[in-house]
Amino acid sequence: MDDHQTEISDGGLFIRDGLIEEVGQSANLPNSADEVLDLKDHIVLPGLVNTHHHFYQTLTRAVPSAQDANLFNWLTTLYPIWARIQPEDIFTSTQTALAELALSGCTTASDHLYLFPNGSKLDDEIAAAQEIGLRIQASRGSMSLGVSQGGLPPDSVVDNEDSILKDSQRLIEQYHDSKDGAMVQIVLAPCSPFSVTTDLMKQSAKLAREYGVHLHTHLAETEDEEQFCLQKFGHRPVGYMQEVDWVGDDVWFAHAVWVNDEEIQVFAKHNCGVAHCPTSNMRLASGIAPVKEYRAAGVNVGLGVDGPASNDGSHLLAEVRNAMLLARVKEGITGFSRSESPSHQERGDRGEGEEVRALMTAREALYLGTRGGAAVVGRNDIGSLEPGKCADFFAINLDRIGYAGMHDPVAAVVFGQPVNVDYTVVGGKFVVKEGRLVTVDEQKLREKHKKAVKKLLS
Ligand SMILES: [Zn+2]
């Protein structure tokens, strides 16, 4: 994922103090180190970057009454359950989500926590992430527009603006690390146009810019939201963001499905990023984001698994696969482009006179999951395997039945059935080794999580 998309056979990395020092053919790397990891038969890729998640939702996966609902009905079904969440549940669900992410090759995860019932704090999530050892872009979310003011959530899960802003400032000062190699960064993230007041949107942007932290929110996820924004604010969702000063290279939006050509150009002009969540968009029947159009316009796009109540998993490599497949579904619906796919040109396997379809390639999908995601969350120190970057990578043993006969090892991990990875390394430290989590006892975590869910739903 360097600027030349270099792929190295018999390659290796030399890592020192959490950073990549050399990348190249193993034969040309230093032949001794404190620890040598032999990854014969493995593919090594840059750690995946998750750009949108709600860790706490591992507590409400596949809830029967929310299985077949669209976004607004799904939310109103789940809000009352979420209102019962306790601080220890935030800790447990964060570890469960991060464990699943780590096992799928993720090394940096963004999370969007926007309700804080019963004394819960973002601190609970950060403490849990520090134990697991993944980098975290922890978003201090918020909801301030309850149903009595024309919002969607019940008043019991919204907070007042002063306390939200005060807590946001405290978290930035306590945790935000703006340096390369940061393990924790804070993001300000009012939840969505239909759950947050206009004033809180503006105040959050002002506060974030005073401290140089990023801004994140849900936007243009469904057609319902478009109608809501037109009626309540007199703008379409993107126009409303412009109105509240939420455009810039420090802003990224989750979903951004329901946008028109002019709105794509607004994102491009202001360098706003997009967290594309294909599985969630399919699960909630929200629609298909115009990823190809975003990329053509120069908009940064990353991938997100979204919350486990609308996925209902946190497997980021599966999300890479779904991004590729869903882009192809969209292509099939909107008509095939006659432009030529570079991957076919490069390989020279195009028949004479054959129409080549500009389909998303496996490599492009992997780019979205790595370098694309890093750009979306505003980090230059991750997303590729290059000297000077963080030593964040994952490795998969290709010698397994699901990959037998695959002609192309890079494409294999995207075209093939998604698997759990064999190694995940963050800053030179193992989080997954020989297919097992090493920073947390997975069995104990599963038991603890099961108990928390039983208590929450009892
Ligand atoms: Zn979301």
Side-chain angles (χ1 to χ4, degrees):
M1 294 300 163
D2 63 6
D3 290 340
H4 308 288
Q5 303 276 297
T6 309
E7 293 173 14
I8 307 167
S9 300
D10 300 319
L13 304 167
F14 184 72
I15 293 166
R16 194 195 299 270
D17 297 333
L19 298 176
I20 297 169
E21 197 165 286
E22 291 181 48
V23 184
Q25 294 249 299
S26 297
N28 299 330
L29 297 176
N31 56 15
S32 68
D34 295 338
E35 179 158 15
V36 177
L37 184 60
D38 182 357
L39 292 176
K40 183 176 176 291
D41 290 333
H42 290 63
I43 183 167
V44 177
L45 290 163
L48 299 173
V49 179
N50 186 47
T51 60
H52 187 65
H53 207 311
H54 312 286
F55 295 156
Y56 76 90
Q57 291 179 9
T58 57
L59 300 159
T60 52
R61 299 203 239 208
V63 168
S65 52
Q67 280 176 21
D68 307 312
N70 65 8
L71 179 69
F72 280 17
N73 292 326
W74 174 88
L75 280 169
T76 47
T77 303
L78 292 171
Y79 283 139
I81 303 175
W82 295 339
R84 298 201 291 269
I85 287 175
Q86 302 293 323
E88 60 267 28
D89 298 331
I90 299 289
F91 187 94
T92 306
S93 56
T94 296
Q95 293 215 324
T96 299
L98 286 174
E100 202 181 344
L101 282 168
L103 286 165
S104 73
C106 174
T107 52
T108 299
S110 171
D111 188 64
H112 189 179
L113 182 60
Y114 53 81
L115 37 80
F116 299 89
N118 310 308
S120 303
K121 288 194 164 76
L122 195 65
D123 308 59
D124 304 318
E125 172 176 312
I126 293 168
Q130 285 172 331
E131 270 188 25
I132 297 274
L134 256 58
R135 296 184 203 282
I136 183 169
Q137 310 294 116
S139 299
R140 203 302 177 185
S142 52
M143 296 200 291
S144 61
L145 189 70
V147 73
S148 64
Q149 292 174 275
L152 189 73
D155 291 354
S156 59
V157 292
V158 306
D159 293 316
N160 75 64
E161 289 178 23
D162 281 352
S163 68
I164 290 167
L165 291 165
K166 213 180 262 174
D167 192 48
S168 300
Q169 185 174 8
R170 174 188 72 81
L171 288 159
I172 296 169
E173 290 180 353
Q174 190 170 342
Y175 294 106
H176 183 69
D177 180 358
S178 57
K179 295 186 294 297
D180 281 358
M183 291 302 291
V184 180
Q185 293 195 331
I186 300 293
V187 176
L188 299 192
C191 188
S192 63
F194 50 84
S195 59
V196 174
T197 54
T198 299
D199 190 50
L200 182 61
M201 291 300 287
K202 288 182 180 167
Q203 295 298 329
S204 296
K206 198 165 157 261
L207 181 63
R209 284 168 184 146
E210 274 170 32
Y211 283 92
V213 304
H214 274 57
L215 289 160
H216 178 52
T217 193
H218 294 93
L219 197 77
E221 182 172 357
T222 61
E223 204 173 9
D224 299 12
E225 180 192 319
E226 191 175 299
Q227 295 309 320
F228 180 95
C229 287
L230 283 167
Q231 278 166 21
K232 178 113 181 144
F233 308 117
H235 291 285
R236 289 166 52 80
V238 175
Y240 178 49
M241 290 301 108
Q242 291 176 282
E243 177 77 18
V244 293
D245 203 18
W246 267 66
V247 286
D249 62 3
D250 54 353
V251 180
W252 89 95
F253 300 114
H255 306 296
V257 172
W258 290 84
V259 293
N260 60 31
D261 290 347
E262 293 87 74
E263 290 162 343
I264 291 171
Q265 291 307 322
V266 170
F267 287 0
K269 185 178 160 208
H270 296 282
N271 290 315
C272 303
V274 170
H276 175 44
C277 307
T279 307
S280 172
N281 295 158
M282 290 191 274
R283 158 71 150 89
L284 294 172
S286 302
I288 309 178
V291 173
K292 187 167 136 183
E293 288 77 3
Y294 281 136
R295 305 252 305 136
V299 176
N300 286 323
V301 180
L303 299 181
V305 296
D306 202 3
S310 68
N311 186 315
D312 298 17
S314 300
H315 201 291
L316 195 46
L317 190 57
E319 209 64 34
V320 171
R321 185 176 198 240
N322 278 346
M324 180 184 79
L325 297 178
L326 187 60
R328 292 174 177 215
V329 171
K330 188 171 195 316
E331 200 71 17
I333 295 167
T334 56
F336 291 107
S337 159
R338 288 183 170 274
S339 62
E340 296 187 348
S341 155
S343 65
H344 280 72
Q345 272 184 328
E346 277 160 22
R347 284 194 235 122
D349 57 0
R350 184 165 66 90
E352 195 61 36
E354 182 195 338
E355 182 184 317
V356 178
R357 296 161 177 177
L359 300 182
M360 184 183 286
T361 65
R363 285 165 173 80
E364 194 178 354
L366 277 169
Y367 182 91
L368 299 182
T370 53
R371 192 91 184 258
V376 163
V377 301
R379 295 191 66 149
N380 293 319
D381 56 337
I382 56 171
S384 61
L385 301 178
E386 294 180 83
K389 295 249 179 157
C390 294
D392 294 5
F393 67 88
F394 70 100
I396 295 176
N397 189 344
L398 295 167
D399 189 15
R400 59 177 81 210
I401 195 74
Y403 296 151
M406 288 278 189
H407 287 253
D408 175 348
V410 179
V413 299
V414 183
F415 277 89
Q417 189 66 24
V419 297
N420 278 1
V421 306
D422 295 286
Y423 293 89
T424 298
V425 172
V426 180
K429 293 186 180 135
F430 290 110
V431 178
V432 176
K433 192 174 187 179
E434 294 171 356
R436 290 184 181 280
L437 290 159
V438 294
T439 52
V440 70
D441 183 324
E442 190 189 318
Q443 196 188 340
K444 277 191 191 150
L445 177 59
R446 281 201 311 266
E447 290 303 322
K448 202 172 152 196
H449 192 268
K450 242 188 267 178
K451 271 189 204 149
V453 168
K454 211 169 162 192
K455 207 169 133 207
L456 186 67
L457 297 182
S458 65

